[in-house]
PDB file of all heavy atoms in Angstrom:
ATOM      1  N   ILE A  30     -63.984  62.058 170.405  1.00 74.00           N
ATOM      2  CA  ILE A  30     -63.471  61.154 171.443  1.00 74.00           C
ATOM      3  C   ILE A  30     -63.829  61.676 172.831  1.00 74.00           C
ATOM      4  O   ILE A  30     -64.163  60.901 173.730  1.00 74.00           O
ATOM      5  CB  ILE A  30     -61.947  60.985 171.285  1.00 74.00           C
ATOM      6  CG1 ILE A  30     -61.644  60.223 169.998  1.00 74.00           C
ATOM      7  CG2 ILE A  30     -61.350  60.253 172.478  1.00 74.00           C
ATOM      8  CD1 ILE A  30     -60.177  60.239 169.613  1.00 74.00           C
ATOM      9  N   ASP A  31     -63.732  62.995 173.025  1.00 71.00           N
ATOM     10  CA  ASP A  31     -64.074  63.572 174.329  1.00 71.00           C
ATOM     11  C   ASP A  31     -65.577  63.516 174.610  1.00 71.00           C
ATOM     12  O   ASP A  31     -66.005  63.575 175.759  1.00 71.00           O
ATOM     13  CB  ASP A  31     -63.587  65.027 174.409  1.00 71.00           C
ATOM     14  CG  ASP A  31     -62.094  65.123 174.695  1.00 71.00           C
ATOM     15  OD1 ASP A  31     -61.565  64.200 175.335  1.00 71.00           O
ATOM     16  OD2 ASP A  31     -61.461  66.104 174.275  1.00 71.00           O
ATOM     17  N   ARG A  32     -66.401  63.406 173.555  1.00 73.00           N
ATOM     18  CA  ARG A  32     -67.849  63.389 173.741  1.00 73.00           C
ATOM     19  C   ARG A  32     -68.433  61.984 173.755  1.00 73.00           C
ATOM     20  O   ARG A  32     -69.379  61.707 174.486  1.00 73.00           O
ATOM     21  CB  ARG A  32     -68.521  64.182 172.616  1.00 73.00           C
ATOM     22  CG  ARG A  32     -68.225  65.666 172.622  1.00 73.00           C
ATOM     23  CD  ARG A  32     -69.022  66.361 171.532  1.00 73.00           C
ATOM     24  NE  ARG A  32     -68.672  67.766 171.402  1.00 73.00           N
ATOM     25  CZ  ARG A  32     -69.357  68.628 170.665  1.00 73.00           C
ATOM     26  NH1 ARG A  32     -70.413  68.243 169.994  1.00 73.00           N
ATOM     27  NH2 ARG A  32     -68.984  69.895 170.581  1.00 73.00           N
ATOM     28  N   TYR A  33     -67.912  61.112 172.890  1.00 70.00           N
ATOM     29  CA  TYR A  33     -68.540  59.804 172.688  1.00 70.00           C
ATOM     30  C   TYR A  33     -67.508  58.684 172.794  1.00 70.00           C
ATOM     31  O   TYR A  33     -66.317  58.889 172.633  1.00 70.00           O
ATOM     32  CB  TYR A  33     -69.198  59.734 171.302  1.00 70.00           C
ATOM     33  CG  TYR A  33     -70.080  60.895 170.966  1.00 70.00           C
ATOM     34  CD1 TYR A  33     -69.701  61.834 170.005  1.00 70.00           C
ATOM     35  CD2 TYR A  33     -71.310  61.085 171.601  1.00 70.00           C
ATOM     36  CE1 TYR A  33     -70.498  62.918 169.694  1.00 70.00           C
ATOM     37  CE2 TYR A  33     -72.121  62.166 171.295  1.00 70.00           C
ATOM     38  CZ  TYR A  33     -71.714  63.077 170.337  1.00 70.00           C
ATOM     39  OH  TYR A  33     -72.503  64.151 170.033  1.00 70.00           O
ATOM     40  N   THR A  34     -68.005  57.504 173.031  1.00 68.00           N
ATOM     41  CA  THR A  34     -67.182  56.297 172.953  1.00 68.00           C
ATOM     42  C   THR A  34     -68.020  55.194 172.325  1.00 68.00           C
ATOM     43  O   THR A  34     -69.208  55.053 172.638  1.00 68.00           O
ATOM     44  CB  THR A  34     -66.672  55.848 174.347  1.00 68.00           C
ATOM     45  OG1 THR A  34     -65.880  54.677 174.204  1.00 68.00           O
ATOM     46  CG2 THR A  34     -67.820  55.571 175.302  1.00 68.00           C
ATOM     47  N   PRO A  35     -67.433  54.417 171.409  1.00 65.00           N
ATOM     48  CA  PRO A  35     -68.207  53.371 170.721  1.00 65.00           C
ATOM     49  C   PRO A  35     -68.704  52.263 171.647  1.00 65.00           C
ATOM     50  O   PRO A  35     -69.640  51.544 171.314  1.00 65.00           O
ATOM     51  CB  PRO A  35     -67.203  52.810 169.704  1.00 65.00           C
ATOM     52  CG  PRO A  35     -66.192  53.890 169.532  1.00 65.00           C
ATOM     53  CD  PRO A  35     -66.086  54.547 170.872  1.00 65.00           C
ATOM     54  N   GLU A  36     -68.050  52.113 172.803  1.00 66.00           N
ATOM     55  CA  GLU A  36     -68.450  51.063 173.744  1.00 66.00           C
ATOM     56  C   GLU A  36     -68.476  51.644 175.152  1.00 66.00           C
ATOM     57  O   GLU A  36     -67.863  52.668 175.423  1.00 66.00           O
ATOM     58  CB  GLU A  36     -67.456  49.891 173.694  1.00 66.00           C
ATOM     59  CG  GLU A  36     -67.419  49.159 172.365  1.00 66.00           C
ATOM     60  CD  GLU A  36     -66.363  48.050 172.367  1.00 66.00           C
ATOM     61  OE1 GLU A  36     -65.586  47.987 173.335  1.00 66.00           O
ATOM     62  OE2 GLU A  36     -66.334  47.268 171.415  1.00 66.00           O
ATOM     63  N   LYS A  37     -69.150  50.967 176.052  1.00 69.00           N
ATOM     64  CA  LYS A  37     -69.152  51.384 177.449  1.00 69.00           C
ATOM     65  C   LYS A  37     -67.790  51.077 178.068  1.00 69.00           C
ATOM     66  O   LYS A  37     -67.163  50.079 177.753  1.00 69.00           O
ATOM     67  CB  LYS A  37     -70.255  50.662 178.224  1.00 69.00           C
ATOM     68  CG  LYS A  37     -71.673  51.093 177.841  1.00 69.00           C
ATOM     69  CD  LYS A  37     -72.705  50.398 178.716  1.00 69.00           C
ATOM     70  CE  LYS A  37     -74.120  50.877 178.349  1.00 69.00           C
ATOM     71  NZ  LYS A  37     -75.142  50.218 179.203  1.00 69.00           N
ATOM     72  N   GLY A  38     -67.370  51.968 178.965  1.00 70.00           N
ATOM     73  CA  GLY A  38     -66.123  51.703 179.675  1.00 70.00           C
ATOM     74  C   GLY A  38     -64.994  52.569 179.164  1.00 70.00           C
ATOM     75  O   GLY A  38     -64.980  53.780 179.368  1.00 70.00           O
ATOM     76  N   ASP A  39     -64.038  51.949 178.510  1.00 76.00           N
ATOM     77  CA  ASP A  39     -62.835  52.650 178.077  1.00 76.00           C
ATOM     78  C   ASP A  39     -63.153  53.769 177.092  1.00 76.00           C
ATOM     79  O   ASP A  39     -64.043  53.650 176.243  1.00 76.00           O
ATOM     80  CB  ASP A  39     -61.853  51.670 177.429  1.00 76.00           C
ATOM     81  CG  ASP A  39     -61.291  50.686 178.443  1.00 76.00           C
ATOM     82  OD1 ASP A  39     -60.993  51.111 179.572  1.00 76.00           O
ATOM     83  OD2 ASP A  39     -61.158  49.503 178.097  1.00 76.00           O
ATOM     84  N   LYS A  40     -62.369  54.839 177.190  1.00 80.00           N
ATOM     85  CA  LYS A  40     -62.593  56.018 176.364  1.00 80.00           C
ATOM     86  C   LYS A  40     -61.886  55.938 175.015  1.00 80.00           C
ATOM     87  O   LYS A  40     -62.414  56.378 173.998  1.00 80.00           O
ATOM     88  CB  LYS A  40     -62.114  57.259 177.127  1.00 80.00           C
ATOM     89  CG  LYS A  40     -62.294  58.574 176.383  1.00 80.00           C
ATOM     90  CD  LYS A  40     -61.879  59.746 177.274  1.00 80.00           C
ATOM     91  CE  LYS A  40     -62.094  61.083 176.566  1.00 80.00           C
ATOM     92  NZ  LYS A  40     -61.712  62.233 177.428  1.00 80.00           N
ATOM     93  N   PHE A  41     -60.663  55.361 175.006  1.00 83.00           N
ATOM     94  CA  PHE A  41     -59.829  55.423 173.809  1.00 83.00           C
ATOM     95  C   PHE A  41     -59.696  54.096 173.056  1.00 83.00           C
ATOM     96  O   PHE A  41     -59.611  54.071 171.832  1.00 83.00           O
ATOM     97  CB  PHE A  41     -58.424  55.920 174.179  1.00 83.00           C
ATOM     98  CG  PHE A  41     -58.414  57.288 174.805  1.00 83.00           C
ATOM     99  CD1 PHE A  41     -58.013  57.459 176.116  1.00 83.00           C
ATOM    100  CD2 PHE A  41     -58.816  58.394 174.086  1.00 83.00           C
ATOM    101  CE1 PHE A  41     -58.001  58.717 176.697  1.00 83.00           C
ATOM    102  CE2 PHE A  41     -58.813  59.666 174.653  1.00 83.00           C
ATOM    103  CZ  PHE A  41     -58.406  59.819 175.969  1.00 83.00           C
ATOM    104  N   LYS A  42     -59.660  52.994 173.784  1.00 86.00           N
ATOM    105  CA  LYS A  42     -59.362  51.698 173.155  1.00 86.00           C
ATOM    106  C   LYS A  42     -60.357  51.287 172.070  1.00 86.00           C
ATOM    107  O   LYS A  42     -59.947  50.729 171.040  1.00 86.00           O
ATOM    108  CB  LYS A  42     -59.254  50.612 174.230  1.00 86.00           C
ATOM    109  CG  LYS A  42     -57.970  50.710 175.021  1.00 86.00           C
ATOM    110  CD  LYS A  42     -57.955  49.902 176.315  1.00 86.00           C
ATOM    111  CE  LYS A  42     -58.564  48.559 176.235  1.00 86.00           C
ATOM    112  NZ  LYS A  42     -58.445  47.802 177.495  1.00 86.00           N
ATOM    113  N   PRO A  43     -61.666  51.532 172.231  1.00 86.00           N
ATOM    114  CA  PRO A  43     -62.595  51.120 171.158  1.00 86.00           C
ATOM    115  C   PRO A  43     -62.311  51.792 169.815  1.00 86.00           C
ATOM    116  O   PRO A  43     -62.483  51.174 168.761  1.00 86.00           O
ATOM    117  CB  PRO A  43     -63.964  51.548 171.711  1.00 86.00           C
ATOM    118  CG  PRO A  43     -63.791  51.579 173.187  1.00 86.00           C
ATOM    119  CD  PRO A  43     -62.396  52.040 173.403  1.00 86.00           C
ATOM    120  N   TRP A  44     -61.872  53.059 169.844  1.00 86.00           N
ATOM    121  CA  TRP A  44     -61.548  53.752 168.600  1.00 86.00           C
ATOM    122  C   TRP A  44     -60.389  53.067 167.881  1.00 86.00           C
ATOM    123  O   TRP A  44     -60.383  52.944 166.654  1.00 86.00           O
ATOM    124  CB  TRP A  44     -61.188  55.212 168.890  1.00 86.00           C
ATOM    125  CG  TRP A  44     -62.352  56.033 169.360  1.00 86.00           C
ATOM    126  CD1 TRP A  44     -62.766  56.203 170.651  1.00 86.00           C
ATOM    127  CD2 TRP A  44     -63.250  56.789 168.552  1.00 86.00           C
ATOM    128  NE1 TRP A  44     -63.873  57.023 170.697  1.00 86.00           N
ATOM    129  CE2 TRP A  44     -64.191  57.402 169.420  1.00 86.00           C
ATOM    130  CE3 TRP A  44     -63.359  57.017 167.176  1.00 86.00           C
ATOM    131  CZ2 TRP A  44     -65.215  58.218 168.966  1.00 86.00           C
ATOM    132  CZ3 TRP A  44     -64.377  57.834 166.715  1.00 86.00           C
ATOM    133  CH2 TRP A  44     -65.289  58.428 167.604  1.00 86.00           C
ATOM    134  N   ILE A  45     -59.417  52.614 168.650  1.00 88.00           N
ATOM    135  CA  ILE A  45     -58.250  51.938 168.068  1.00 88.00           C
ATOM    136  C   ILE A  45     -58.657  50.580 167.510  1.00 88.00           C
ATOM    137  O   ILE A  45     -58.222  50.178 166.422  1.00 88.00           O
ATOM    138  CB  ILE A  45     -57.143  51.778 169.129  1.00 88.00           C
ATOM    139  CG1 ILE A  45     -56.734  53.151 169.677  1.00 88.00           C
ATOM    140  CG2 ILE A  45     -55.938  51.042 168.553  1.00 88.00           C
ATOM    141  CD1 ILE A  45     -55.821  53.083 170.892  1.00 88.00           C
ATOM    142  N   LYS A  46     -59.516  49.871 168.251  1.00 87.00           N
ATOM    143  CA  LYS A  46     -59.918  48.519 167.847  1.00 87.00           C
ATOM    144  C   LYS A  46     -60.606  48.511 166.490  1.00 87.00           C
ATOM    145  O   LYS A  46     -60.283  47.702 165.610  1.00 87.00           O
ATOM    146  CB  LYS A  46     -60.835  47.911 168.919  1.00 87.00           C
ATOM    147  CG  LYS A  46     -61.322  46.502 168.566  1.00 87.00           C
ATOM    148  CD  LYS A  46     -61.979  45.843 169.765  1.00 87.00           C
ATOM    149  CE  LYS A  46     -63.260  46.541 170.174  1.00 87.00           C
ATOM    150  NZ  LYS A  46     -63.978  45.801 171.239  1.00 87.00           N
ATOM    151  N   TYR A  47     -61.556  49.424 166.300  1.00 87.00           N
ATOM    152  CA  TYR A  47     -62.308  49.438 165.048  1.00 87.00           C
ATOM    153  C   TYR A  47     -61.573  50.217 163.950  1.00 87.00           C
ATOM    154  O   TYR A  47     -61.606  49.845 162.779  1.00 87.00           O
ATOM    155  CB  TYR A  47     -63.700  50.041 165.281  1.00 87.00           C
ATOM    156  CG  TYR A  47     -64.531  49.249 166.269  1.00 87.00           C
ATOM    157  CD1 TYR A  47     -64.967  49.819 167.465  1.00 87.00           C
ATOM    158  CD2 TYR A  47     -64.870  47.925 166.007  1.00 87.00           C
ATOM    159  CE1 TYR A  47     -65.731  49.095 168.375  1.00 87.00           C
ATOM    160  CE2 TYR A  47     -65.631  47.191 166.908  1.00 87.00           C
ATOM    161  CZ  TYR A  47     -66.059  47.778 168.095  1.00 87.00           C
ATOM    162  OH  TYR A  47     -66.796  47.051 168.991  1.00 87.00           O
ATOM    163  N   GLY A  48     -60.918  51.295 164.346  1.00 87.00           N
ATOM    164  CA  GLY A  48     -60.217  52.117 163.358  1.00 87.00           C
ATOM    165  C   GLY A  48     -59.027  51.415 162.748  1.00 87.00           C
ATOM    166  O   GLY A  48     -58.675  51.653 161.584  1.00 87.00           O
ATOM    167  N   GLY A  49     -58.377  50.524 163.508  1.00 89.00           N
ATOM    168  CA  GLY A  49     -57.192  49.831 163.007  1.00 89.00           C
ATOM    169  C   GLY A  49     -57.478  48.972 161.788  1.00 89.00           C
ATOM    170  O   GLY A  49     -56.639  48.848 160.879  1.00 89.00           O
ATOM    171  N   ILE A  50     -58.652  48.365 161.750  1.00 91.00           N
ATOM    172  CA  ILE A  50     -59.027  47.514 160.612  1.00 91.00           C
ATOM    173  C   ILE A  50     -59.168  48.347 159.349  1.00 91.00           C
ATOM    174  O   ILE A  50     -58.662  47.994 158.279  1.00 91.00           O
ATOM    175  CB  ILE A  50     -60.341  46.764 160.919  1.00 91.00           C
ATOM    176  CG1 ILE A  50     -60.151  45.845 162.139  1.00 91.00           C
ATOM    177  CG2 ILE A  50     -60.794  45.967 159.699  1.00 91.00           C
ATOM    178  CD1 ILE A  50     -61.430  45.199 162.626  1.00 91.00           C
ATOM    179  N   VAL A  51     -59.851  49.496 159.471  1.00 92.00           N
ATOM    180  CA  VAL A  51     -60.056  50.369 158.314  1.00 92.00           C
ATOM    181  C   VAL A  51     -58.732  50.966 157.850  1.00 92.00           C
ATOM    182  O   VAL A  51     -58.484  51.134 156.657  1.00 92.00           O
ATOM    183  CB  VAL A  51     -61.057  51.487 158.653  1.00 92.00           C
ATOM    184  CG1 VAL A  51     -61.347  52.331 157.435  1.00 92.00           C
ATOM    185  CG2 VAL A  51     -62.346  50.898 159.214  1.00 92.00           C
ATOM    186  N   LEU A  52     -57.838  51.277 158.801  1.00 92.00           N
ATOM    187  CA  LEU A  52     -56.536  51.845 158.463  1.00 92.00           C
ATOM    188  C   LEU A  52     -55.724  50.875 157.613  1.00 92.00           C
ATOM    189  O   LEU A  52     -55.055  51.287 156.654  1.00 92.00           O
ATOM    190  CB  LEU A  52     -55.773  52.204 159.738  1.00 92.00           C
ATOM    191  CG  LEU A  52     -54.352  52.727 159.553  1.00 92.00           C
ATOM    192  CD1 LEU A  52     -54.361  54.021 158.735  1.00 92.00           C
ATOM    193  CD2 LEU A  52     -53.682  52.951 160.901  1.00 92.00           C
ATOM    194  N   ALA A  53     -55.770  49.602 157.951  1.00 91.00           N
ATOM    195  CA  ALA A  53     -55.035  48.603 157.179  1.00 91.00           C
ATOM    196  C   ALA A  53     -55.519  48.552 155.729  1.00 91.00           C
ATOM    197  O   ALA A  53     -54.726  48.454 154.786  1.00 91.00           O
ATOM    198  CB  ALA A  53     -55.178  47.232 157.833  1.00 91.00           C
ATOM    199  N   PHE A  54     -56.833  48.631 155.553  1.00 92.00           N
ATOM    200  CA  PHE A  54     -57.403  48.646 154.202  1.00 92.00           C
ATOM    201  C   PHE A  54     -56.972  49.901 153.443  1.00 92.00           C
ATOM    202  O   PHE A  54     -56.607  49.842 152.264  1.00 92.00           O
ATOM    203  CB  PHE A  54     -58.929  48.587 154.279  1.00 92.00           C
ATOM    204  CG  PHE A  54     -59.625  48.837 152.968  1.00 92.00           C
ATOM    205  CD1 PHE A  54     -59.696  47.846 152.003  1.00 92.00           C
ATOM    206  CD2 PHE A  54     -60.188  50.083 152.702  1.00 92.00           C
ATOM    207  CE1 PHE A  54     -60.336  48.089 150.786  1.00 92.00           C
ATOM    208  CE2 PHE A  54     -60.819  50.326 151.491  1.00 92.00           C
ATOM    209  CZ  PHE A  54     -60.890  49.329 150.531  1.00 92.00           C
ATOM    210  N   ALA A  55     -56.997  51.051 154.115  1.00 92.00           N
ATOM    211  CA  ALA A  55     -56.658  52.319 153.468  1.00 92.00           C
ATOM    212  C   ALA A  55     -55.203  52.345 153.016  1.00 92.00           C
ATOM    213  O   ALA A  55     -54.875  52.923 151.975  1.00 92.00           O
ATOM    214  CB  ALA A  55     -56.935  53.476 154.426  1.00 92.00           C
ATOM    215  N   SER A  56     -54.311  51.712 153.785  1.00 92.00           N
ATOM    216  CA  SER A  56     -52.895  51.664 153.408  1.00 92.00           C
ATOM    217  C   SER A  56     -52.696  50.907 152.105  1.00 92.00           C
ATOM    218  O   SER A  56     -51.880  51.299 151.257  1.00 92.00           O
ATOM    219  CB  SER A  56     -52.074  51.001 154.521  1.00 92.00           C
ATOM    220  OG  SER A  56     -52.182  51.722 155.725  1.00 92.00           O
TER     221      SER A  56
END
């Protein structure tokens, strides 16, 4: 997270956006 971001701009929100979908499946 400190090195990369999936999208330009925000540092943290893109990780939540994409990771949340996978988390729901894993549950």
Side-chain angles (χ1 to χ4, degrees):
I30 292 169
D31 281 332
R32 294 184 186 190
Y33 311 109
T34 180
E36 295 177 352
K37 291 184 178 181
D39 292 320
K40 180 176 182 179
F41 300 115
K42 286 165 41 177
W44 292 89
I45 302 170
K46 179 168 66 173
Y47 299 118
I50 298 173
V51 184
L52 176 61
F54 170 78
S56 300

